[in-house]
Amino acid sequence: MVKTYSNCTIVLENLEITYMEDHRDLSFLRSIKEVGGYVLIALNTVSRIPLENLRIIRGHSLYDGSFALSVFSNYNNSTNKGTDQILLTSLTEILKGGVNFFNNQLCNVETIQWSDIVNVGNISIDPTPSKNKNCGKCDSSCFNGSCWAPGPQNCQTLTKLNCAQQCSRRCKGPSPSDCCNEHCAAGCTGPRAEDCLACRDFQDNGVCKDSNLYQLVPNPHGKYSFGATFVKSCPLCNGLGTGELAHVLSINATNIGSFENCTIINGNIDIIITSIYLDQFTKTPKMDPEQLNVFKTVKEITGYLWIQTWPDTMSSLSPFENLEVVQGRTKRGSRSLVVSGLHITHLGLRSLREISDGDVFVSKNSELCYTDAKHWQKLFKSPHQTVNIEGNANAATCALRNDTCDRKCTVDGCWSPGPSMCISCRDYKHDGSCVDSCNILEGEPRETAMNKTCIKCHPECQPMNGTATCSAPGSANCTKCANFKDGLFCVSRARSVH
Ligand SMILES: *[C@@H]1O[C@H](CO)[C@@H](O)[C@H](O)[C@H]1NC(C)=O
Ligand SMILES: *[C@@H]1O[C@H](CO)[C@@H](O)[C@H](O)[C@H]1NC(C)=O
Ligand SMILES: *[C@@H]1O[C@H](CO)[C@@H](O)[C@H](O)[C@H]1NC(C)=O
Ligand SMILES: *[C@@H]1O[C@H](CO)[C@@H](O)[C@H](O)[C@H]1NC(C)=O
Ligand SMILES: *[C@@H]1O[C@H](CO)[C@@H](O)[C@H](O)[C@H]1NC(C)=O
Ligand SMILES: *[C@@H]1O[C@H](CO)[C@@H](O)[C@H](O)[C@H]1NC(C)=O
Ligand SMILES: *[C@@H]1O[C@H](CO)[C@@H](O)[C@H](O)[C@H]1NC(C)=O
């Protein structure tokens, strides 16, 4: 769970918290703000479940067909141990689905006004009075005495029952000026569609919008829905083992087109003999090696990457040069990355920065230089991951071929020759390549250096000579504005006064 949910703000599907005992540190749950499906909290004995930042449960799927929040049996009768508090202090809306609580010994939950939170669904709260428990009382400042735990910070926040009549849905307080925009869910900080705590339908670049965009008309500004967010390109494609590729053996000439423009592949990639050569059995034609370049947009593979056959005309794995992460959520055996039996001379995986889980096997590639076990260990997330590098070109052969790293690389080495293939840069990184310096005082466009990386100054910054043009990215960090200054920001036009 720690691996799945740490730093996660939006859970697209369901969140299930079960069998957590008292010694578990659940603080990683604090980052979660939205759940798309349901939340199940059952069979735990840990004393507190901290979900203080969860604002909204959408209920796209429901537990037991009815419940968006189901909390039961968080108590062990034989040990008398159980959960005392579930801190849902930010939870103000459940879009769809009901709530049920039973067989718990929770404190304060009986004070919660669920009708403020639930929109459509049954509310079934069996408070199981906690006879033997010393539950603290709600703070006296809590509205109508409703709280999740003692202390003023744990009062229930009402966003519906206590609104002015004019409000169409939710509000941030009782006055008519406190009404939220109709596209808001959970509440708001102000009246506009960009002030919502969460969006009822879709969020596009910080603004809540409705979903009535499903029409077959050409739309040059069209975006795709990904969970409850609009994105410009569809970022998630099915890999082998998922969706329509669930039972497909390998990437091949017939299915490779489905990877066009993919950035995240949900599943695995297997490139084996039937990928490239004709397969009589499944009537799959031979693949044109050029087609492999479809993978150039891929940044992440959630499963494994397995390459056992490769076109002889390609000297590196350049189609995967933008691949950053192999998650290894699914593996073959214990392995999440296999490159074996190829005639490549270098890997060229210049963007790879993480193998989240699983072992690496880069072996029996007789002409392969630039393999160093130390590179791989830096990409691992756990001490149990291993790397096997055997039977590749030996150091003497590589030295003879003059296969050495560019002088702009650090001693960490490189993936291939050239300044764009360094594991890390000796001086600065500029557009994925190592450079001696950034365009700070001269050169177009002017840049600033942050963490040894060159970053462009905002276009509204006036290019300076003899001094830096900006101190950081963004229009608030220019040394001088090219056009106008509005508060902290450089802008192209002066604001007109209405
Ligand atoms: C979560 O984010 C913090 C800060 O960005 C980082 O230090 C930490 O390693 C991240 N944790 C995980 C498990 O990714
Ligand atoms: C209750 O706790 C006891 C002792 O730790 C354990 O053996 C038992 O499985 C627990 N019962 C349940 C229902 O979790
Ligand atoms: C605890 O006891 C109650 C009442 O006897 C029973 O309904 C419930 O199933 C028991 N809970 C567990 C986790 O065994
Ligand atoms: C509420 O519960 C009743 C009785 O169990 C059921 O008939 C009804 O469909 C439920 N309503 C919703 C919205 O789930
Ligand atoms: C607060 O509690 C009172 C008395 O129980 C009740 O009449 C009133 O409707 C409650 N207010 C809200 C907003 O629920
Ligand atoms: C090639 O791809 C097609 C379409 O995904 C699939 O039906 C076929 O089984 C695949 N062949 C092999 C050998 O993987
Ligand atoms: C891929 O992206 C290019 C450029 O944005 C676009 O022209 C093309 O139609 C896209 N292809 C698919 C299948 O989405």
Side-chain angles (χ1 to χ4, degrees):
M1 281 191 83
V2 171
K3 221 177 211 166
T4 308
Y5 294 113
S6 285
N7 293 344
C8 192
T9 52
I10 300 179
V11 176
L12 292 176
E13 294 178 19
N14 307 320
L15 174 63
E16 299 195 344
I17 305 168
T18 54
Y19 297 105
M20 292 296 152
E21 292 161 337
D22 220 4
H23 57 278
R24 300 292 180 193
D25 175 6
L26 299 185
S27 57
F28 65 90
L29 293 173
R30 289 206 169 97
S31 61
I32 299 174
K33 292 188 178 166
E34 289 194 28
V35 172
Y38 61 74
V39 174
L40 170 68
I41 301 176
L43 301 158
N44 300 291
T45 49
V46 60
S47 61
R48 278 181 147 217
I49 296 186
L51 281 166
E52 291 104 313
N53 294 306
L54 177 61
R55 296 168 175 172
I56 180 166
I57 305 174
R58 295 185 184 275
H60 289 321
S61 56
L62 299 177
Y63 186 74
D64 236 359
S66 322
F67 299 109
L69 175 63
S70 194
V71 180
F72 59 84
S73 302
N74 292 290
Y75 183 71
N76 183 324
N77 291 343
S78 52
T79 59
N80 266 342
K81 276 206 147 140
T83 302
D84 300 324
Q85 283 163 348
I86 47 167
L87 294 174
L88 289 165
T89 46
S90 300
L91 181 66
T92 46
E93 181 149 12
I94 293 176
L95 282 176
K96 187 171 157 242
V99 172
N100 74 338
F101 279 62
F102 60 91
N103 273 342
N104 303 297
Q105 294 272 317
L106 296 166
C107 289
N108 307 104
V109 158
E110 73 280 1
T111 67
I112 294 298
Q113 302 181 61
W114 290 99
S115 53
D116 196 82
I117 300 173
V118 174
N119 287 322
V120 263
N122 288 325
I123 300 170
S124 152
I125 310 292
D126 168 9
T128 327
S130 23
K131 304 177 226 45
N132 313 322
K133 263 196 183 159
N134 285 324
C135 289
K137 286 225 155 23
C138 292
D139 193 84
S140 59
S141 68
C142 292
F143 187 78
N144 261 20
S146 302
C147 75
W148 301 95
Q153 75 281 14
N154 294 314
C155 293
Q156 181 183 6
T157 306
L158 297 186
T159 64
K160 188 163 84 178
L161 297 180
N162 197 27
C163 295
Q165 269 187 343
Q166 289 89 332
C167 298
S168 60
R169 290 201 164 104
R170 298 205 168 245
C171 65
K172 71 181 176 79
S175 117
S177 63
D178 291 332
C179 294
C180 297
N181 183 281
E182 58 173 333
H183 297 309
C184 292
C188 57
T189 57
R192 300 171 309 169
E194 47 263 60
D195 301 327
C196 303
L197 293 182
C199 298
R200 283 189 71 76
D201 297 305
F202 287 104
Q203 195 250 100
D204 182 14
N205 220 349
V207 181
C208 294
K209 299 190 168 168
D210 72 22
S211 55
N212 297 329
L213 296 172
Y214 301 128
Q215 300 176 38
L216 284 173
V217 291
N219 176 3
H221 310 292
K223 293 188 177 183
Y224 299 90
S225 67
F226 179 48
T229 303
F230 276 145
V231 291
K232 273 220 168 68
S233 62
C234 195
L236 206 136
C237 304
N238 288 325
L240 300 176
T242 47
E244 75 281 3
L245 300 179
H247 305 290
V248 176
L249 193 65
S250 63
I251 299 300
N252 66 40
T254 314
N255 60 38
I256 195 163
S258 71
F259 294 93
E260 189 173 329
N261 297 345
C262 295
T263 54
I264 300 178
I265 292 178
N266 184 26
N268 314 309
I269 297 292
D270 278 274
I271 298 175
I272 57 176
I273 187 133
T274 52
S275 299
I276 314 250
Y277 302 101
L278 178 89
D279 181 53
Q280 297 285 9
F281 184 69
T282 58
K283 302 201 168 42
T284 306
K286 178 164 163 282
M287 183 192 290
D288 173 2
E290 262 306 300
Q291 290 184 274
L292 287 167
N293 286 321
V294 76
F295 293 119
K296 283 211 170 164
T297 52
V298 172
K299 294 191 169 170
E300 199 161 328
I301 295 174
T302 66
Y304 62 76
L305 172 61
W306 191 284
I307 305 180
Q308 242 181 330
T309 302
W310 198 245
D312 285 335
T313 52
M314 280 193 188
S315 60
S316 74
L317 304 179
S318 58
F320 291 103
E321 68 183 13
N322 294 309
L323 177 64
E324 296 174 6
V325 178
V326 175
Q327 289 192 11
R329 286 202 215 163
T330 48
K331 297 177 263 296
R332 241 169 101 171
S334 67
R335 292 169 181 167
S336 56
L337 181 81
V338 169
V339 177
S340 182
L342 312 189
H343 298 291
I344 55 173
T345 55
H346 48 277
L347 290 161
L349 298 172
R350 64 194 183 118
S351 304
L352 193 61
R353 57 179 172 77
E354 181 176 322
I355 311 276
S356 321
D357 198 10
D359 299 332
V360 168
F361 184 88
V362 178
S363 293
K364 306 190 184 119
N365 306 287
S366 57
E367 293 157 52
L368 181 62
C369 294
Y370 304 104
T371 53
D372 181 348
K374 280 190 305 229
H375 293 177
W376 296 102
Q377 278 143 4
K378 288 209 174 103
L379 308 182
F380 290 162
K381 298 293 276 185
S382 113
H384 306 296
Q385 289 173 270
T386 65
V387 51
N388 183 321
I389 294 193
E390 281 165 17
N392 301 316
N394 63 38
T397 314
C398 293
L400 263 182
R401 259 173 32 196
N402 210 5
D403 275 350
T404 51
C405 292
D406 194 273
R407 64 166 189 87
K408 295 192 180 73
C409 301
T410 62
V411 290
D412 286 346
C414 62
W415 292 104
S416 293
S420 66
M421 291 289 171
C422 303
I423 303 274
S424 55
C425 295
R426 211 193 45 203
D427 298 308
Y428 298 99
K429 191 166 190 164
H430 180 283
D431 266 351
S433 200
C434 296
V435 293
D436 294 327
S437 62
C438 303
N439 295 336
I440 291 179
L441 300 180
E442 53 182 15
E444 284 300 322
R446 295 284 204 284
E447 298 168 333
T448 183
M450 290 178 83
N451 298 331
K452 295 187 74 181
T453 304
C454 304
I455 297 171
K456 286 189 189 63
C457 292
H458 192 274
E460 282 301 322
C461 296
Q462 171 74 44
M464 306 295 285
N465 289 317
T467 176
T469 293
C470 66
S471 56
S475 65
N477 297 303
C478 303
T479 306
K480 201 174 158 206
C481 293
N483 294 300
F484 297 96
K485 189 159 193 166
D486 183 353
L488 292 172
F489 303 97
C490 293
V491 294
S492 57
R493 290 191 304 172
R495 187 161 32 171
S496 54
V497 179
H498 293 286

